Amino acid sequence: MAGLSRWSRALPLRKLPLGVWVGGIGAALAMLLGPPDLEIGTPWSSVLRVVATRGGPTIVVTVVALAVLVFPGFALMRWFPGRDRGIAEEFAVAVLLSILTVGALGSVLTAFRFMSRGRLALLVLVTLLIGFAPAVRWLKRCYQARPVMLAGVGVLAIPWVWFAAADGFPPASTFQWWYWDLGRYLTEARGIPSWVAEYGTQVRWLPDYVVFNLLSEAYAGLGSAVSDDSLMQYWKVSVVLVGLVMAYLVFRLWVGPLAGFVGLAGLAASSLWTSKFNAYKPEALGLVVGFACVWLLVRGLRERRVELVYLAGAGIGVDMAIHGVAATVLGLLMLAAALAELIWSDRGRRRDMVVLTGAAVLALVFVVAIGVGLQGRAVVAGDALNPEVSTGVDPTWEFLQLADGSLDPGAVPTLSKQIESNLERMETPWGRTLPVKLSSLWFALPTITGLALLWRVGNQRGRAGLLTLFLFAGLLTVSAAFFAVSFDTFVPRHTGLSRMSQYVPLAVAVALALATEGYRLALNRWKRLHAMSVGDIVGAGVLGFSLVLGVAVPLATYQGKPALTEVGRDGIDALRIFSTSGDRVLANATTRGVIESLSRVDSLLEGRQPLIEDPEFLTYTNETLRSAMEYLRSPAGNAFATKFGVRWLLISDDPALLGAKGDFGGSPEQFEALPNVRLVWSTDGVALFETGVTSRSPRFGPAETYRRSLAVGSVIIVIGLFGTLGLAHRFGWTRKT
């Protein structure tokens, strides 16, 4: 009973069953009716059954991943400035300190060519053991003080346990295999490779996700008893759990717990959440780190704690080495929140501006230091936005079409068409419809009314949230417009119009939370029903409705990745058995790294998207794809295989057998008739041929030493840190009591 009463005190639903009844009615309504234009197609009984029977391995590996993402931070917490930290602050600081710690340990091993999964995992394990006891104490405190937060996050995480347990193994036609191998190159080369083989040529190892890759290698080393494909599959659960907690804490900056959960449930039901957290990829982790930075920045400004503001600045700088787009968008949210706090601040704005400038400088310092320390150059994501239309054909659009198996690129969508198609993708959290359409007025009008009520009856914190929402929406729009009008090629425009618009659901979820808070505060001015405020009663119904949909919508709309079939896996295993070191294979399925990752053989057409890099590399890649497709569709002679050093041909009748959605052409029957290739292995629909070409094609080059560069990068960080701290001290920015 004591535990039950502790749970009941955590939300305004305490003391009276009326709020619980109303919440139950909202939940039942969501389960029975569902949102407009959406069918809840996954039976709840099957979800619970899969979670119960297959959730064990998921939970075990999730704990390992959570330990990597959180425990090192708790180990270092005792040396971080500040006393009497709250639960939320401890968690946010632990997340960022963990990212910084693992990234720093991996950077040292990489720079000295001493990198391996085992060594990095051993170093991280020491921090895990030190941080275990503080982490357990934090969890105990969290259960005692915020049990409903834990319960809500657990409920919203149910779909992701289901996805990890129920999805096909291993996933095939996604870039997660390529992301995984980016990290594995660090171990196999014992550092950053001097080059990697992609599309038959040697190019630089892509450093854009280096911190993510180091975290991944630490996770892989600690989970070495589990297969790589299982590790990738289970990774999403841990990232979702941390992401849900951090997103909830961000909502709580501006609203109460009830409205915060409504906003969180709306975000969990959006395409942003289901598309970014649905696989092993860096963008999801970039979002998590970004949320932590937003929370620390706002709390640091409110409490005048320079250590929190500067940790947020350093964190967003490191986030650029996890995923640039996620870091940029969450950086815009940080900017919006900081401006809102300045406008509503009753403190000296000049001093706040100085400290914010220091945080921005510190973010830039970390971006530059990571580039210098691990690549010997200031910017790791350089060469961006270079492609130009030189031959009358947009090379970025041509690549996208060729990579999907189409020789005819067709007409590039016009700017107006791109804008129209991206507007159609904007959505309410549940309706999958455009907010400005008449069919979405059921959501838009009540939300706008709730925002107006919050402005009228809300406190300074709520109004700061409103201003943050408007500024963030404006900055997001300006960023998308910048890409749309500044570039001629498809992909830079797509980056702004599509990639930026994918984050619109975040703004919508913030609006939903703020609107709910507005209704709650306004209705609470009415008389109380059975000793409970009307606003809390209505909010309970909205919370019940949104929590159920936060689980049901992902289950109904989640797009699982195509699984590699047993036949396809047998074909890749045959390639691995018959091949020798330095061989190269050409496959006719549009896979995204699975063949190379499982066979350890360089796959000619499995590589990154060279869309914002050296234009010459993009042109070369397009020519290679076109030549390969022409050869596969009309195979003759050995000229193509000789030119690109292709010894093996992995040919399938149906690309789905290899887990792909498209193919480059050709069939086993065509190659069986050729006199210059030899059938080595075959099964129903998949065949492996040998061309006789024996040229050596290593997958990567030897690692380079970055000892001096790492020292220079470290000096840059030290100078930047002491310089910005001195700036804050000079202007007397001290903690607010």
Side-chain angles (χ1 to χ4, degrees):
M1 293 300 294
L4 181 61
S5 66
R6 185 166 58 245
W7 281 64
S8 66
R9 288 195 302 268
L11 278 179
L13 309 182
R14 61 185 181 273
K15 295 184 180 179
L16 278 178
L18 182 58
V20 178
W21 279 106
V22 175
I25 292 172
L29 191 64
M31 294 184 69
L32 293 175
L33 300 180
D37 305 322
L38 180 65
E39 296 181 0
I40 308 299
T42 304
W44 291 93
S45 59
S46 65
V47 175
L48 296 175
R49 183 171 59 254
V50 170
V51 171
T53 57
R54 306 181 196 171
T58 306
I59 293 173
V60 171
V61 180
T62 296
V63 170
V64 173
L66 284 173
V68 174
L69 295 176
V70 178
F71 282 22
F74 280 109
L76 298 178
M77 191 77 69
R78 68 184 69 180
W79 293 289
F80 189 76
R83 297 178 180 176
D84 302 324
R85 298 186 186 90
I87 295 171
E89 180 184 329
E90 281 195 0
F91 188 78
V93 170
V95 170
L96 283 191
L97 288 182
S98 296
I99 302 296
L100 292 171
T101 301
V102 178
L105 293 174
S107 297
V108 172
L109 293 177
T110 298
F112 284 84
R113 292 193 301 183
F114 203 63
M115 173 67 189
S116 75
R117 284 180 178 177
R119 295 189 183 101
L120 181 57
L122 183 61
L123 293 176
V124 173
L125 181 61
V126 174
T127 66
L128 300 188
L129 295 176
I130 298 173
F132 176 77
V136 172
R137 287 195 296 268
W138 175 87
L139 187 62
K140 182 179 180 180
R141 289 175 56 205
C142 191
Y143 169 75
Q144 293 173 342
R146 298 192 180 185
V148 174
M149 183 188 77
L150 294 178
V153 168
V155 168
L156 292 175
I158 287 175
W160 303 95
V161 179
W162 152 263
F163 300 148
D167 273 1
F169 282 85
S173 186
T174 70
F175 277 103
Q176 54 189 313
W177 288 100
W178 182 79
Y179 288 130
W180 186 263
D181 274 2
L182 267 181
R184 188 153 59 180
Y185 282 138
L186 298 177
T187 289
E188 294 183 358
R190 301 185 64 187
I192 293 180
S194 53
W195 54 265
V196 292
E198 301 220 7
Y199 301 104
T201 190
Q202 296 177 1
V203 295
R204 67 179 179 124
W205 179 84
L206 191 66
D208 295 10
Y209 317 107
V210 60
V211 175
F212 172 78
N213 300 138
L214 292 171
L215 286 162
S216 172
E217 286 301 281
Y219 164 66
L222 291 171
S224 57
V226 183
S227 65
D228 285 356
D229 49 297
S230 296
L231 289 173
M232 284 191 293
Q233 193 81 319
Y234 297 142
W235 168 264
K236 69 184 79 167
V237 181
S238 59
V239 179
V240 162
L241 285 170
V242 180
L244 287 171
V245 173
M246 285 314 314
Y248 172 72
L249 294 180
V250 169
F251 288 128
R252 288 283 283 112
L253 290 170
W254 307 300
V255 300
L258 190 149
F261 267 118
V262 171
L264 180 64
L267 180 63
S270 69
S271 63
L272 170 66
W273 205 261
T274 56
S275 64
K276 303 305 180 186
F277 289 83
N278 65 343
Y280 167 86
K281 49 189 176 184
E283 192 164 4
L285 185 60
L287 277 168
V288 172
V289 174
F291 283 137
C293 293
V294 172
W295 190 91
L296 289 170
L297 179 72
V298 175
R299 282 297 292 266
L301 287 173
R302 290 177 180 176
E303 299 180 5
R304 305 197 73 180
R305 294 178 59 187
V306 67
E307 70 273 13
L308 296 186
V309 176
Y310 281 0
L311 180 59
I316 204 67
V318 173
D319 203 20
M320 288 296 295
I322 295 176
H323 196 276
V325 174
T328 300
V329 174
L330 270 296
L332 295 178
L333 182 57
M334 290 176 67
L335 176 59
L339 291 175
E341 292 297 319
L342 287 177
I343 292 173
W344 287 107
S345 173
D346 55 359
R347 306 179 301 269
R349 293 189 178 91
R350 181 188 175 194
R351 294 178 177 180
D352 289 356
M353 283 294 297
V354 170
V355 173
L356 286 172
T357 301
V361 170
L362 201 57
L364 182 61
V365 163
F366 270 83
V367 171
V368 173
I370 291 173
V372 171
L374 296 180
Q375 285 282 304
R377 54 184 180 168
V379 181
V380 298
D383 305 325
L385 309 176
N386 279 335
E388 297 178 356
V389 179
S390 57
T391 60
V393 178
D394 183 339
T396 63
W397 174 256
E398 182 182 16
F399 171 82
L400 293 176
Q401 304 309 303
L402 290 171
D404 283 338
S406 174
L407 274 173
D408 181 13
V412 180
T414 62
L415 177 59
S416 60
K417 189 68 176 177
Q418 292 180 54
I419 294 175
E420 180 183 352
S421 63
N422 282 283
L423 284 175
E424 291 176 352
R425 296 174 57 185
M426 296 183 185
E427 61 187 38
T428 62
W430 311 307
R432 297 293 187 263
T433 51
L434 182 63
V436 297
K437 287 182 179 178
L438 184 62
S439 59
S440 290
L441 292 181
W442 67 270
F443 176 83
L445 289 181
T447 301
I448 293 172
T449 303
L451 296 177
L453 288 172
L454 182 61
W455 184 267
R456 179 69 178 84
V457 303
N459 54 18
Q460 180 175 314
R461 188 178 67 160
R463 289 172 180 163
L466 285 171
L467 191 54
T468 299
L469 171 64
F470 298 142
L471 289 173
F472 176 58
L475 290 171
L476 205 58
T477 302
V478 169
S479 300
F482 168 77
F483 283 93
V485 302
S486 300
F487 302 99
D488 297 326
T489 50
F490 175 80
V491 166
R493 285 183 175 179
H494 175 81
T495 299
L497 293 173
S498 180
R499 296 304 300 274
M500 294 295 183
S501 67
Q502 290 174 4
Y503 286 85
V504 169
L506 175 57
V508 174
V510 173
L512 179 62
L514 294 171
T516 303
E517 184 74 352
Y519 281 113
R520 190 185 70 83
L521 293 176
L523 292 174
N524 276 351
R525 295 188 170 192
W526 291 9
K527 67 178 182 179
R528 302 170 72 88
L529 298 179
H530 299 279
M532 188 172 185
S533 300
V534 175
D536 292 339
I537 295 172
V538 174
V542 176
L543 177 60
F545 183 84
S546 58
L547 278 178
V548 169
L549 293 181
V551 176
V553 172
L555 289 173
T557 60
Y558 176 78
Q559 297 283 326
K561 300 304 177 184
L564 182 64
T565 65
E566 185 176 347
V567 171
R569 185 63 180 261
D570 290 343
I572 296 176
D573 287 342
L575 172 64
R576 177 178 52 81
I577 293 170
F578 287 108
S579 62
T580 58
S581 177
D583 286 353
R584 177 170 289 157
V585 62
L586 171 65
N588 70 333
T590 58
T591 52
R592 299 288 188 258
V594 62
I595 295 175
E596 183 167 324
S597 188
L598 293 179
S599 68
R600 318 309 300 146
V601 176
D602 178 45
S603 182
L604 178 64
L605 302 185
E606 286 187 335
R608 65 187 186 237
Q609 294 183 318
L611 297 171
I612 55 173
E613 297 187 61
D614 183 357
E616 294 182 359
F617 178 39
L618 176 58
T619 300
Y620 164 83
T621 301
N622 288 342
E623 293 173 351
T624 301
L625 284 167
R626 188 174 292 276
S627 298
M629 292 169 66
E630 291 172 350
Y631 169 72
L632 288 168
R633 296 182 182 194
S634 301
N638 243 13
F640 177 87
T642 302
K643 177 180 179 180
F644 290 97
V646 175
R647 181 183 177 186
W648 303 100
L649 301 169
L650 186 62
I651 309 299
S652 64
D653 277 329
D654 182 358
L657 295 175
L658 291 172
K661 294 182 178 180
D663 68 87
F664 296 114
S667 66
E669 291 75 15
Q670 287 179 284
F671 286 89
E672 286 177 1
L674 294 180
N676 55 321
V677 298
R678 180 173 66 91
L679 178 63
V680 175
W681 176 93
S682 68
T683 188
D684 295 335
V686 179
L688 179 66
F689 299 91
E690 185 179 11
T691 65
V693 175
T694 57
S695 63
R696 177 173 170 76
S697 306
R699 294 169 41 247
F700 57 88
E704 298 180 355
T705 302
Y706 289 97
R707 298 172 185 171
R708 293 182 180 178
S709 298
L710 182 66
V712 173
S714 301
V715 170
I716 292 174
I717 291 177
V718 171
I719 293 175
L721 183 60
F722 278 95
T724 51
L725 286 173
L727 192 66
H729 179 73
R730 168 69 177 79
F731 283 86
W733 211 73
T734 56
R735 179 170 181 174
K736 179 181 178 182
T737 58

